[in-house]
Amino acid sequence: MDQKEFRDNLELKAVDEKYVDQFNELLSYVFQFTEADLEESGYESKKELIKSKQPILEQSKVFGWFHDEQLISQIAIYPCEVNIHGKIFKMGGITGVGTYPEYANHGLMQDLIHLALKNMRDDQQWISYLYPYSIPYYRRKGWEIMSDKLSFKIRDTQLPKQVTIPGMVERVSVDHEDVFTVYAKFARQNHGALIRSEFNWEEYWRFENEDERTAAVYYGANQEPLGVLFYWVAEDVFHIKEMFYINQEARNGLWNFISAHFSMIDWAEGDIYKNEPLAFLLDDSQIKETIEPYYMARIVDVKEMLLAYPYVSTAKPFHFVVSDPVAEWNNGVFSLLWDEDDQVSVTDEPLGQPVHIDIQTLTCVLMNYRRPTYLHRIERLDTDKETLNSLERILPDQEAYFSDYF
């Protein structure tokens, strides 16, 4: 059977709830979990774990290729909201991506990604996030790294010294209302962060044994919750899942709490979901830190994203010349022009100097994973010096924070 004959026998359509068993079977194939993974997550079986992912099918738009009513390739768009430099955007989270190996290399996923992008565009989701199983693959599809995960390990003797603070820490359950209150404020302060709905919180704990985690909440002098730490202690190690806080007082309070475990532990280890090295904040900075890319992002619609983007300044008119390997509507000229009220407009008429850029690098710039000057230096962005300076001036300079997984 040749390629054309093979494709003629396939059907591309929405995956509704009547295909839930096939959706789960393909999901099970994609997510290869060991028994140790299951035990750590608190699930009794792989079937139970896969069943827990079923709400994704109910909450998301799912598309798939079918061969004789058999689902062979799929992609899901998980509807979310994120903070982009202080402004809330609808975001399409890509998840549940998978193709049975015997159907690979037929361009099925390319078509699914194109369809997913069209649907996100129709739903006004101008940006998309995903967790990459292969960074090179998703770069070829237009996504780019947007955030990092920094993992650290600290000896008990290197823990920060106690700092005098006006408040105190209390241990509560991970679903305590004050946990949600602090995160909601934190997410609106931190670029890139997910605005977590109730369902997002359920997904946050999907691969964790929630019953074995504790939340430590820092309360200020007026009993206002200001910081949260998710942790557990096992085999003389203080494990930090995540720490988020509204101000430095709360950060100090949470580290005071960790340091108070000095006599119980040999190590403290955990993750920071921002390019913010912990070592600099410690008296003894000779600690082990490793950094790796975490999530990727992609602009779905360049024109609409440029119109909605929260610039911090204005500039003389200039234009982007964008190339996109999948979304054809993003190929072309996008000129930025500000009026006397500092409101931006976007046109396809080439105004001012050009900025030649691909969709991956434009995403990188707008998400501030790397600054324009650096990207120009490594030849990922091509423009003149004045326009480069304009880009540096008009784009916010806050690194993305993203700690979720879907």
Side-chain angles (χ1 to χ4, degrees), residues 64-126:
W65 279 105
F66 289 80
H67 183 222
D68 295 332
E69 283 298 293
Q70 174 66 42
L71 179 62
I72 62 173
S73 183
Q74 68 185 26
I75 192 170
I77 308 168
Y78 183 38
C80 302
E81 288 187 322
V82 292
N83 172 359
I84 305 296
H85 295 299
K87 185 174 182 177
I88 307 304
F89 283 74
K90 293 202 293 183
M91 182 271 285
I94 296 299
T95 186
V97 177
T99 303
Y100 285 119
E102 62 268 33
Y103 297 103
N105 302 316
H106 289 286
L108 303 185
M109 191 51 63
Q110 175 83 2
D111 292 342
L112 285 174
I113 288 174
H114 185 266
L115 180 58
L117 289 168
K118 286 180 65 177
N119 272 267
M120 285 187 277
R121 189 187 188 203
D122 291 342
D123 290 339
Q124 299 182 1
Q125 297 166 329
W126 310 137

Side-chain angles (χ1 to χ4, degrees), residues 116-164:
L117 289 168
K118 286 180 65 177
N119 272 267
M120 285 187 277
R121 189 187 188 203
D122 291 342
D123 290 339
Q124 299 182 1
Q125 297 166 329
W126 310 137
I127 192 161
S128 172
Y129 286 11
L130 60 77
Y131 179 79
Y133 70 83
S134 167
I135 289 176
Y137 177 83
Y138 283 110
R139 274 182 166 156
R140 292 196 299 270
K141 306 305 180 185
W143 276 263
E144 185 52 270
I145 301 164
M146 58 153 274
S147 70
D148 295 324
K149 180 174 75 170
L150 186 149
S151 301
F152 60 88
K153 188 173 183 178
I154 309 172
R155 288 188 177 277
D156 55 354
T157 54
Q158 296 174 305
L159 289 169
K161 296 177 181 178
Q162 293 283 323
V163 176
T164 301

Side-chain angles (χ1 to χ4, degrees), residues 55-56 59-60 78 197-204 206:
I56 286 285
Q59 297 277 339
S60 304
Y78 183 38
S197 65
E198 181 178 348
F199 182 64
N200 295 143
W201 274 109
E202 291 176 6
E203 193 65 18
Y204 177 83
R206 188 78 64 198

